[in-house]
Amino acid sequence: MASIAIGIPIIVAVLVAAIYIQGKTQSELQSLVVGAQNEMTLAAQANGLEARPHWAAALDQAQRAVQIVGADQTANELLTQAQTQLDKLDNIVRLMPDALYNFKSNGPLRLALHNFSIFVLDRSSNELERVTLNANADGIEGGKPAIVYTSDTATDGKKPGDFIEMVWVNATTAQLNSSLMILHRNGLLQYDLTFGFKSLALGPEAVPNDARRLRSFDGNLFLLDPAAKQVWRYRAKDSTYADAPETYFDQPNADTANAVDMAIDGSVYLI
């Protein structure tokens, strides 16, 4: 009986505490919701950028309300409304991802783009697939990618080495063909949408062991080689890249040893 008598006050105390916490939570939630609504009213009465601080304050209070009760419909609606108005003031268009296709591959995969075509290189299987977008760019023509190249395909009488990277190259005076250039362990594989595949040499020597990223600018190819602490520039000549590469940096660059990606717009950017 003594244990029962002790247990009853404990249960009562727990219930009282739970009711108190719940009431406090609802009180805080209501305060934040009302605060967000008031800020929105002030924002609606202001002009242009003068409304921004009020929308920002409304967003802050709506976010805090959602943190307290994530499923509260009013708080979520206020959050969406405040964020939408801030985006309009800041000229921000938020994008939502749209899944086009599941390649079901362990990868790694590489991407290259040309107009409505997305090329997907699968290094694990040494295959190349082409995704052709529909007119609205929200689906795939034919419902699935087209397999363009498989590991058992020979070009010019020989099979390429392991695929490494690829880039789309636009035509110039020195590179007459707009085409996809695929870097593999033994050189280049050129894919022309009209004439198909062709084997090309990449310089007079072997492809660097640590070749990481292949990029193009003005018809020329740029190869990131962290092991050499260098970016190699292969100039196009008669639509080929057989000449010895030039060094982009006068001296090996220590930071290049840790580079994982590269972009080019006339200047070279490494990350």
Side-chain angles (χ1 to χ4, degrees):
M1 293 296 293
S3 61
I4 295 176
I6 294 172
I8 291 175
I10 293 175
I11 294 173
V12 171
V14 171
L15 290 173
V16 170
I19 293 172
Y20 171 77
I21 293 172
Q22 184 177 7
K24 184 179 179 181
T25 299
Q26 289 299 321
S27 176
E28 290 178 356
L29 174 64
Q30 187 62 27
S31 176
L32 290 169
V33 167
V34 171
Q37 291 170 332
N38 290 338
E39 291 292 345
M40 288 182 175
T41 300
L42 294 173
Q45 297 170 351
N47 295 318
L49 292 178
E50 294 178 357
R52 197 185 191 290
H54 297 295
W55 286 118
L59 178 65
D60 176 67
Q61 296 192 63
Q63 287 174 331
R64 288 157 59 193
V66 170
Q67 289 175 353
I68 294 174
V69 181
D72 187 83
Q73 181 177 352
T74 301
N76 279 281
E77 289 176 352
L78 292 173
L79 189 153
T80 300
Q81 185 179 351
Q83 186 66 72
T84 299
Q85 294 301 322
L86 281 172
D87 287 347
K88 288 181 179 180
L89 290 172
D90 296 337
N91 293 318
I92 294 175
V93 177
R94 296 187 180 270
L95 303 178
M96 296 297 294
D98 189 11
L100 286 174
Y101 189 78
N102 183 0
F103 287 88
K104 298 179 181 179
S105 169
N106 293 326
L109 303 175
R110 295 287 184 266
L111 293 177
L113 308 177
H114 173 63
N115 294 335
F116 277 72
S117 293
I118 304 173
F119 297 94
V120 182
L121 183 150
D122 189 339
R123 293 185 60 186
S124 64
S125 61
N126 240 36
E127 291 186 347
L128 176 68
E129 296 185 65
R130 180 184 178 185
V131 175
T132 303
L133 299 176
N134 60 24
N136 295 324
D138 58 3
I140 302 176
E141 290 287 347
K144 63 180 181 179
I147 298 177
V148 178
Y149 197 93
T150 60
S151 59
D152 58 354
T153 304
T155 300
D156 298 332
K158 57 183 178 181
K159 296 180 181 179
D162 292 338
F163 287 167
I164 301 173
E165 176 66 297
M166 65 178 173
V167 66
W168 184 268
V169 180
N170 291 316
T172 63
T173 55
Q175 173 51 265
L176 301 180
N177 302 308
S178 290
S179 57
L180 185 71
M181 294 292 178
I182 305 169
L183 175 67
H184 59 87
R185 186 49 58 194
N186 301 325
L188 287 174
L189 195 60
Q190 181 183 34
Y191 177 51
D192 186 293
L193 298 185
T194 302
F195 301 106
F197 287 95
K198 179 181 180 181
S199 291
L200 295 177
L202 182 66
E205 299 180 1
V207 173
N209 290 330
D210 198 29
R212 187 73 53 88
R213 290 289 183 267
L214 184 68
R215 299 292 181 258
S216 174
F217 183 78
D218 197 26
N220 300 317
L221 295 178
F222 294 77
L223 182 63
L224 173 61
D225 184 359
K229 301 178 183 178
Q230 190 59 261
V231 173
W232 305 106
R233 174 167 46 206
Y234 295 83
R235 291 192 180 275
K237 181 180 178 182
D238 299 329
S239 298
T240 68
Y241 300 93
D243 288 348
E246 304 168 356
T247 57
Y248 184 81
F249 301 112
D250 292 337
Q251 300 292 330
N253 185 289
D255 292 334
T256 307
N258 300 314
V260 296
D261 210 340
M262 175 173 65
I264 299 178
D265 64 358
S267 297
V268 172
Y269 305 90
L270 302 176
I271 186 171

